[in-house]
């Protein structure tokens, strides 16, 4: 199971990655996106993937891109690290 958790400050809009993008050597068997939470004024988004490997040995999940808009309206992006 892979859980992607995105936490943002007030005024920042996070665009969660599209379902199933960049999961490398795995097939997505189930996907859940629980309702957003707010904790200490910060928004928390989660995506939960149930994965099945397509092979044996060392497997890889590619970096997952995340896009967001800051308080000034500028778009930014970053990527997670690849996972083996």
């Amino acid at each position: 199971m892979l859980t992607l958790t995105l936490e943002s400050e007030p005024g920042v809009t996070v665009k969660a990655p599209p379902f199933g993008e960049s999961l490398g050597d795995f097939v997505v068997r189930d996907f859940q996106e629980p309702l957003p939470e707010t904790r200490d004024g910060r928004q928390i988004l989660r995506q939960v993937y149930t994965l099945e490997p397509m092979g044996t040995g060392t497997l890889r999940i590619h970096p997952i891109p995340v896009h967001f808009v800051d308080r000034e309206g500028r778009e930014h992006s970053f990527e997670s690290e690849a996972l083996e």
Side-chain angles (χ1 to χ4, degrees), residues 2-6 16-17 45-49 64-66 78 80:
L2 170 72
T3 300
L4 177 64
T5 303
L6 305 167
L45 304 172
R46 286 191 176 82
Q47 292 182 329
V48 182
Y49 296 85
I64 299 172
V66 176
F78 66 92
S80 69

Side-chain angles (χ1 to χ4, degrees), residues 19-50:
F19 162 75
E21 188 171 290
S22 298
L23 294 179
D25 298 328
F26 296 86
V27 173
V28 177
R29 289 293 174 207
D30 190 34
F31 174 79
Q32 296 177 22
E33 196 165 27
L35 292 173
E37 299 175 31
T38 302
R39 186 180 322 134
D40 298 327
R42 299 171 68 87
Q43 183 174 33
I44 302 168
L45 304 172
R46 286 191 176 82
Q47 292 182 329
V48 182
Y49 296 85
T50 301

Side-chain angles (χ1 to χ4, degrees), residues 58-71:
T58 303
L59 302 175
R60 182 178 173 104
I61 294 175
H62 301 300
I64 299 172
V66 176
H67 302 278
F68 66 97
V69 179
D70 67 20
R71 293 181 193 132

